[in-house]
């Protein structure tokens, strides 16, 4: 009986459920599509690694995290002696042992255009020797394999993108040097192309040109099936002793999958996070839908109670309707999610990752997450209206169409909302004043949650006050339509507050992200203007800077001098009390501070670093009670240590407020050249009186053979930073758009159901002289006021969150607050547009009502 009643009610009001259904579909589609894409990408790489891994891979020792071995490996990869190949070939169960050379520190260049060949971001460029392994991921499809020192084989996808044909020249550049090859063959992937560029030479050439020695980067073993991989691995380690790694096929697959998964996880969790935001926004839409349906069905509920229906039955009846909505929305959403996954696959293919839409992996987690999200969201959202419906007394429901206001509940709601908002505001203030970013970040997160929940709870109370102000000009500008619109928006504060809250969440995220990004750009620009004296910044991206590159810059007309820096990421400082603390250290030349950079110090002098002392950050000095003159021991790794006095303390929040600095010459006294890290970025200073722009052009011309380099003057570097920040900002905008779309549906839904609810009232207004045009204007103005109310709340919250975030990170380089006034203004204007668009259909339907039929409606 209960199910039959719920089904009849659901299908009787199915038209009023459509927008709620769409909200559920969008949220579930985003979640399920993200999971399908993640599963597909993970499965694709798992298959690739499983299909191509050797049975046992013998590799050099893993670089130590306690020294700069990892950085040094980027210049000179660790190797396996050439004799190991023959040594391992005789192990029982080994069918073949193949020495391989494979490096990711080389770049491919088209000499005809001086443009990079292969991906510039994301997937790597791998260059090595061609070996015909039993599980080769590629096969020759054109030309021939490398037969001499000038032959190069390239994968087909890379050759196609670079428009290279057989016989064309390709230059390989790496720290060992440069070598021009002729494209002799093209190979095609037999498995999925992960997006990397693959290039092969013969073994001797690979060793000479890529490693600079007769060695391998690994020896791959393939068994004959008589013994397990673990048994072969044990024999390998026993035969070689220490100093090598041996990994079975399963271990190789797990390691590679973990590395790929780390990159995919960030994207997956970010998208899921915004999908859940849209789901939360959808809750407000569904709450309003069921609240209005319950209000419209008050007499029906009274009759149900009068004929014997219990409170629990009324409650369950509404919840069953929500369950039906959730199941239906989830089912459709999962289907739409497959389309989302196909779109994400296409997007990844556009940036270089080769995935197949035909290989979509739809696992149980997709259905579990999709149905769980859709059903939980709808049932939780409908619980509040269901609870109110069950509390309606039969006689009261039959006598009065509508539910009475609960003054006590409103009072409690107001108190709770004020407490949450005030508490959240206080937490945000404490976070902004926190000395440490980690502590401030935790308070920021808590403050965001408390203020958001507080504003949602306070929505009805704020609706009456704020809309009274926002709508005060409507009567003067639009006459009766404006006055009616203002009163309609204030008529049901709870409904208006819930509708506006949905829009508030999305716009608050937009404003907060805008404040953060604007502050980041402004702070970076201010720091460059204040502290940077060099004119040019040259970075190698994923490749190290070579002496030839620096020499080219040094000889460029108009360049006064160049400045290098060497980062010791694994360095440690031994404090006077014996405590050893990890602290990233940078070795710089004497001209670094004073001539090339102008840091602010709180104690000592920056140029003291060039006289054999160490400079440390203000926060580090405070945390460890260090002052100028104190002796610390620098541990550079690999047993290289040096005792230095503190000569400068750099102000926090500046370019050099963290980490520590020593002079290159001072460091060079204890660290041999072989153990020093590579140079990743260096700087150049123009000669006095030189035209900086013309010299930049000369630099770009001189370095055109190195397209991997990023060459910028100060203005260009500012633009680069702004572009990187804007990319992140636009990504956030794109993801927040989903929640804003759901919020707009909420406004449309509220107005549409409100029109149905006020059918008789609209008929009476028309009967006493309100024209269709005035009626439509009234609906539009009501929509605009509600949207503007949500935008005002969202702007207030977003500004509070953004300002707090800037203050939390003030000592991490975000020292200047910048509020994007234009963005705030555009957000308010956009809310007006959203209101107008949301009112189009409800206003049109209201205008077409038959006056007599509307008056006759109960």
């Amino acid at each position: 009986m209960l199910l039959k009643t719920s089904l009849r009610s659901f299908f009787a009001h199915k038209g009023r459920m459509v927008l709620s259904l769409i909200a559920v579909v969008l949220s579930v589609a985003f979640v399920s599509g993200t999971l399908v894409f993640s599963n597909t990408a993970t499965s694709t790489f798992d298959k690739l690694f499983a299909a191509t891994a050797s049975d046992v891979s013998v590799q050099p020792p893993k670089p130590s995290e306690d020294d700069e071995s990892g950085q040094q490996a980027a210049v000179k990869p660790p190797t396996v002696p050439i004799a190991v190949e023959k040594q391992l070939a005789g192990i029982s169960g080994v069918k073949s042992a193949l020495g391989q050379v494979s490096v990711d520190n080389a770049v491919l260049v088209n000499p005809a255009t001086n443009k990079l060949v292969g991906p510039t971001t994301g997937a790597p460029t791998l260059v090595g020797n061609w070996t015909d392994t039993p599980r080769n991921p590629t096969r020759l499809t054109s030309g021939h394999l490398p037969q001499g020192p000038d032959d190069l084989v390239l994968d087909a996808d890379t050759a196609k993108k670079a428009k290279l044909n057989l016989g064309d020249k390709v230059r390989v550049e790496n720290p060992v040097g440069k070598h021009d090859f002729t494209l002799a063959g093209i190979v095609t992937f037999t498995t999925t192309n992960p997006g990397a560029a693959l290039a092969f030479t013969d073994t001797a050439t690979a060793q000479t040109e890529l490693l600079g020695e007769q060695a391998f980067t690994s020896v791959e073993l393939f068994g004959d099936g008589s013994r397990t991989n673990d048994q072969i691995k044990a024999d390998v380690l026993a035969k070689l002793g220490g100093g090598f790694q041996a990994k079975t096929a399963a271990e190789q697959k797990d390691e590679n999958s973990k590395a790929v998964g780390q990159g995919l996880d960030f994207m997956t969790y970010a998208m899921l996070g915004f999908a859940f935001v849209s789901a939360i926004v959808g809750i407000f839409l569904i709450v309003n839908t069921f609240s209005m349906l319950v209000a419209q069905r008050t007499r029906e509920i009274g009759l149900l109670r009068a004929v014997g229906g219990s409170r629990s039955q009324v409650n369950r009846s509404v919840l069953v309707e929500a369950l039906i909505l959730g199941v239906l929305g989830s089912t459709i959403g999962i289907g739409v999610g497959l389309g989302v996954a196909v779109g994400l696959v296409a997007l990844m293919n556009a940036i270089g990752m080769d995935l197949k839409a035909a290989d979509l992996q739809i696992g149980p987690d997709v259905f579990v997450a999709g149905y769980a999200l859709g059903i939980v969201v709808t049932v939780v959202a409908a619980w509040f209206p269901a609870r109110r419906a069950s509390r309606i007394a039969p006689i009261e429901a039959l006598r009065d169409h509508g539910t009475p206001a609960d003054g006590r509940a409103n009072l409690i709601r107001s108190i709770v909302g004020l407490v949450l908002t005030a508490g959240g505001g206080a937490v945000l203030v404490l976070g902004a004043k926190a000395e440490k970013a980690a502590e401030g970040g935790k308070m920021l997160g808590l403050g965001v949650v408390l203020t958001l929940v507080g504003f949602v709870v306070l929505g009805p109370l704020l609706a009456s006050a704020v809309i009274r102000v926002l709508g005060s000009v409507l009567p003067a500008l639009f006459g009766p339509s404006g006055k009616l619109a203002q009163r309609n928006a204030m008529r049901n504060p709870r409904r208006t507050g819930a509708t506006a809250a949905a829009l508030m969440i999305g716009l608050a995220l937009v404003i907060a992200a805008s404040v953060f990004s604007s502050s980041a750009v402004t702070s970076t620009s201010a720091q460059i203007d204040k502290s940077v004296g060099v004119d040019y910044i040259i970075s190698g991206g994923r490749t190290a800077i070579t002496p030839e590159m620096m020499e080219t810059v040094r000889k460029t007309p108009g360049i006064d001098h160049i400045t290098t820096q060497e980062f010791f990421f694994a360095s440690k400082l031994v404090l006077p009390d014996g405590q050893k603390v990890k602290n990233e250290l940078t070795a710089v030349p004497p001209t670094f501070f004073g001539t090339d950079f102008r840091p602010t110090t709180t104690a000592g002098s920056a140029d003291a670093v060039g006289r054999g002392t160490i400079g440390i950050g203000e926060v580090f000095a405070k945390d460890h009670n260090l002052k100028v003159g104190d002796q610390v021991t620098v541990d550079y790794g690999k047993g290289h240590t040096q005792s230095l006095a503190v000569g400068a303390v750099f102000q926090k929040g500046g370019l050099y407020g963290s980490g520590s600095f020593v002079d290159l010459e001072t460091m060079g006294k204890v660290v041999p050249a072989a153990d020093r890290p590579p140079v990743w970025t260096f700087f150049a200073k123009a000669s006095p009186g030189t035209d900086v722009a013309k010299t930049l052009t000369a630099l770009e011309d001189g370095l055109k053979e190195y397209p991997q380099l990023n060459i910028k003057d100060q203005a260009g570097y500012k633009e680069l930073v702004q572009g990187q920040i804007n990319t992140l900002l636009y990504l956030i905008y794109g993801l927040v758009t989903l929640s804003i779309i759901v919020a707009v549906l909420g406004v449309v839904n509220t107005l549409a159901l409100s029109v149905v609810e006020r059918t008789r009232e609209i008929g009476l207004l028309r009967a006493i002289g309100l024209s269709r045009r005035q009626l439509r204007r009234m609906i539009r103005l009501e929509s605009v006021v509600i949207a503007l109310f949500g935008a005002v709340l969202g702007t207030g919250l977003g500004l509070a969150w953004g300002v707090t975030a800037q203050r939390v990170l003030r000592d991490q380089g975000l020292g200047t607050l910048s509020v994007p006034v234009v963005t705030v203004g555009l957000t308010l204007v956009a809310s007006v547009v959203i209101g107008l668009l949301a009112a189009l259909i409800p206003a049109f339907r209201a205008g077409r009502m038959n006056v007599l039929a509307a008056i006759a409606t109960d």
Side-chain angles (χ1 to χ4, degrees):
M1 178 67 181
L2 178 65
L3 179 60
K4 185 181 294 186
T5 302
S6 300
L7 286 171
R8 284 180 176 177
S9 177
F10 180 86
F11 288 108
H13 303 98
K14 57 182 179 296
R16 305 177 191 182
M17 296 281 194
V18 170
L19 294 180
S20 295
L21 180 69
I22 293 174
V24 176
V25 168
L26 288 176
S27 299
V28 172
F30 212 64
V31 169
S32 59
T34 300
L35 291 176
V36 170
F37 165 75
S38 177
N39 291 346
T40 301
T42 301
S43 173
T44 297
F45 284 107
D46 284 348
K47 291 177 182 176
L48 171 66
F49 300 141
T52 58
S54 61
D55 291 325
V56 176
S57 177
V58 180
Q59 304 168 7
K62 187 176 181 180
S64 172
E65 295 182 359
D66 294 327
D67 55 41
E68 305 308 316
S69 299
Q71 285 200 79
Q72 291 155 4
V75 177
K76 189 179 186 308
T79 58
V80 175
I82 197 169
V84 170
E85 181 184 26
K86 293 182 179 180
Q87 192 176 0
L88 297 180
I91 290 180
S92 175
V94 173
K95 183 177 181 179
S96 61
L98 300 173
Q100 283 199 342
V101 175
S102 181
V103 300
D104 60 3
N105 65 350
V107 295
L108 305 177
V109 180
N110 184 345
T113 60
N114 281 317
K115 290 185 177 180
L116 287 175
V117 175
T120 55
T121 58
T125 295
L126 302 175
V127 186
N129 66 323
W130 174 266
T131 53
D132 193 10
T133 71
R135 298 170 196 156
N136 203 317
T138 59
R139 61 183 176 84
L140 184 70
T141 53
S142 181
H144 60 80
L145 296 175
Q147 297 174 353
D150 296 327
D151 287 348
L152 184 80
V153 171
L154 198 61
D155 74 271
D157 294 330
T158 301
K160 182 179 179 180
K161 292 174 184 176
K163 298 179 180 179
L164 291 172
N165 300 306
L166 295 177
D168 288 344
K169 296 293 183 181
V170 179
R171 186 168 63 243
V172 176
E173 298 181 5
N174 77 330
V176 176
K178 295 185 293 184
H179 190 95
D180 284 345
F181 292 90
T182 300
L183 186 56
I186 293 177
V187 294
T188 301
F189 279 90
T190 57
T191 60
T192 297
N193 179 359
L198 299 186
F200 304 97
T201 69
D202 61 38
T203 299
T205 303
Q207 292 171 333
T208 303
E209 301 297 335
L210 302 178
L211 301 179
E213 63 174 316
Q214 297 297 304
F216 299 115
T217 53
S218 69
V219 174
E220 308 299 329
L221 306 182
F222 297 89
D224 58 15
S226 63
R227 306 184 70 204
T228 66
N229 293 344
D230 288 323
Q231 289 174 328
I232 294 175
K233 172 184 174 179
D235 286 355
V236 166
L237 294 177
K239 192 173 189 70
L240 296 179
F244 294 95
Q245 299 182 82
K247 300 175 183 176
T248 63
E251 290 170 338
Q252 295 173 62
K253 174 182 170 294
D254 291 343
E255 181 179 325
N256 291 328
S257 297
K258 182 179 179 181
V260 172
Q262 289 175 345
L264 290 174
D265 285 350
F266 173 79
M267 177 180 174
T268 300
Y269 292 144
M271 293 178 66
L272 289 176
F274 284 99
F276 284 115
V277 169
S278 70
I280 292 171
V281 171
I283 287 177
F284 294 104
L285 191 160
I286 298 167
V287 166
N288 268 358
T289 298
F290 279 93
S291 294
M292 297 174 79
L293 288 177
V294 166
Q296 293 166 20
R297 290 159 47 195
T298 301
R299 187 180 295 275
E300 176 188 324
I301 292 172
L303 287 170
L304 185 63
R305 291 292 310 281
V307 298
S310 65
R311 283 188 174 185
S312 62
Q313 286 178 314
V314 171
N315 189 309
R316 291 200 301 273
S317 174
V318 177
L319 292 180
V320 168
E321 289 184 50
L323 180 62
I324 295 170
L325 178 67
V327 171
L328 184 60
S330 299
T331 303
I332 299 173
I334 291 172
V336 175
L338 298 181
V340 173
V342 171
L344 290 172
V345 166
L347 177 63
M348 291 298 101
N349 289 342
I351 62 175
M353 183 186 290
D354 188 12
L355 300 176
K356 305 297 182 185
D359 296 333
L360 291 183
Q361 299 295 311
I362 309 169
D365 59 329
V366 175
F367 294 97
V368 172
Y371 280 108
L373 177 66
I375 292 172
V376 168
V377 163
T378 51
V379 172
V380 168
W383 183 82
F384 299 99
R387 182 171 175 270
R388 287 198 296 271
S390 68
R391 298 175 68 179
I392 300 174
I395 301 301
E396 179 184 303
L398 292 171
R399 182 179 63 247
D400 179 34
H401 183 73
T403 55
D406 189 339
R408 182 171 177 273
N410 288 339
L411 177 62
I412 294 174
R413 182 188 186 109
S414 299
I415 293 173
V416 171
L418 286 171
V419 170
L420 287 172
T421 304
V427 172
L428 289 178
V429 171
L430 291 174
K433 293 182 177 180
E435 289 291 326
K436 294 184 178 180
E439 180 182 342
K442 293 177 182 177
M443 292 185 179
L444 171 61
L446 178 60
V448 166
V449 173
L450 290 177
T451 52
L452 177 60
V453 175
F455 266 52
V456 170
V457 174
L458 274 180
L461 179 65
L462 295 172
S464 300
V466 176
I467 289 180
R468 191 181 303 277
V469 175
L470 292 176
S472 60
V473 298
L474 295 183
L477 293 176
F478 301 102
S481 297
K483 189 170 186 177
L484 286 170
Q486 181 192 27
R487 291 187 175 181
N488 284 338
M490 295 169 56
R491 176 186 293 185
N492 193 323
R494 177 179 291 176
R495 181 188 306 164
T496 299
T499 305
L503 191 59
M504 171 191 75
I505 295 173
L507 295 181
L509 291 173
V510 168
I511 295 296
S514 299
V515 171
F516 176 83
S517 63
S518 180
S519 298
V521 171
T522 303
S523 299
T524 301
S525 181
Q527 288 291 347
I528 291 174
D529 292 339
K530 178 183 177 181
S531 304
V532 178
V534 294
D535 297 297
Y536 310 103
I537 302 164
I538 302 101
S539 61
R542 294 189 294 188
T543 59
I545 301 297
T546 64
E548 291 79 14
M549 296 173 185
M550 290 188 281
E551 189 60 27
T552 299
V553 173
R554 188 180 286 112
K555 291 181 178 179
T556 301
I559 294 298
D560 183 76
H561 66 272
I562 67 170
T563 298
T564 62
Q565 55 183 4
E566 298 178 15
F567 294 103
F568 287 81
F569 295 113
S571 62
K572 300 179 180 65
L573 295 185
V574 182
L575 307 180
D577 61 1
Q579 182 183 4
K580 181 178 281 191
V581 182
K582 188 173 182 179
N583 186 258
E584 294 182 1
L585 180 141
T586 307
V588 297
T591 59
F592 193 85
F593 293 123
T595 303
D596 298 327
F597 294 89
R598 302 178 294 271
T600 302
T601 58
T602 59
S605 173
D607 58 12
V609 173
R611 298 193 297 268
T613 65
I614 184 172
I616 59 176
E618 180 182 0
V619 174
F620 186 84
K622 183 177 181 180
D623 289 345
H624 300 285
N625 298 315
L626 293 174
K627 61 183 183 299
V628 172
D630 288 347
Q631 289 288 134
V632 297
T633 299
V634 181
D635 184 351
Y636 297 101
K638 292 188 176 181
H640 309 307
T641 61
Q642 189 174 42
S643 180
L644 299 173
V646 175
V649 177
F650 298 112
Q651 186 179 49
K652 63 181 180 181
L655 287 177
Y656 302 102
S658 60
S660 54
F661 295 85
V662 297
D663 180 57
L664 276 171
E665 184 178 345
T666 302
M667 176 271 297
K669 293 177 180 178
V670 296
V671 182
D675 292 339
R676 289 168 62 163
V679 175
W680 299 101
T681 300
F682 71 107
F683 312 94
K685 177 75 173 175
S687 303
T690 299
D691 188 316
V692 175
K694 289 183 179 179
T695 304
L696 175 62
T697 303
L699 276 175
E700 291 171 340
D701 289 340
L703 295 170
K704 62 185 179 182
E705 291 186 1
Y706 306 101
Q708 69 270 32
L709 295 182
N710 197 330
I711 309 157
K712 299 292 182 183
D713 58 8
Q714 288 193 18
Y717 188 74
K718 292 177 184 177
E719 292 176 1
L720 176 66
V721 171
Q722 183 171 1
Q724 292 171 339
I725 294 173
N726 284 344
T727 298
L728 177 61
L729 180 64
Y730 297 149
L731 175 63
I732 294 174
Y733 285 171
L735 295 173
V736 170
T737 298
L738 180 66
S739 65
I740 294 178
I741 290 173
V742 175
V744 173
L745 292 177
V747 178
V748 175
N749 187 64
T750 298
L751 291 173
L753 293 179
S754 178
V755 167
V756 174
E757 185 180 71
R758 304 197 316 247
T759 298
R760 188 177 186 188
E761 176 187 320
I762 290 171
L764 291 171
L765 288 173
R766 290 292 312 283
I768 62 176
L770 193 71
S771 67
R772 287 185 175 182
R773 182 179 181 183
Q774 287 176 313
L775 177 61
R776 287 195 292 265
R777 180 183 296 165
M778 178 190 76
I779 302 293
R780 288 195 297 268
L781 291 176
E782 181 182 350
S783 177
V784 167
V785 169
I786 292 174
L788 198 56
F789 171 51
V792 169
L793 295 186
T795 300
L797 272 182
L799 288 174
W801 298 348
V803 170
T804 304
Q806 181 271 324
R807 295 304 301 162
V808 167
L809 298 174
R810 64 189 180 277
D811 295 335
Q812 274 65 47
L814 226 68
T816 305
L817 174 65
S818 176
V819 177
V821 179
V822 174
T823 301
V824 173
L826 288 175
T827 300
L828 295 176
V829 172
S831 68
V832 174
V833 175
I834 287 172
L836 291 172
L837 293 175
L840 286 177
I841 296 177
F844 178 75
R845 291 183 60 188
R848 294 190 62 182
M849 280 185 182
N850 181 283
V851 176
L852 294 179
I855 293 174
T857 301
D858 185 12

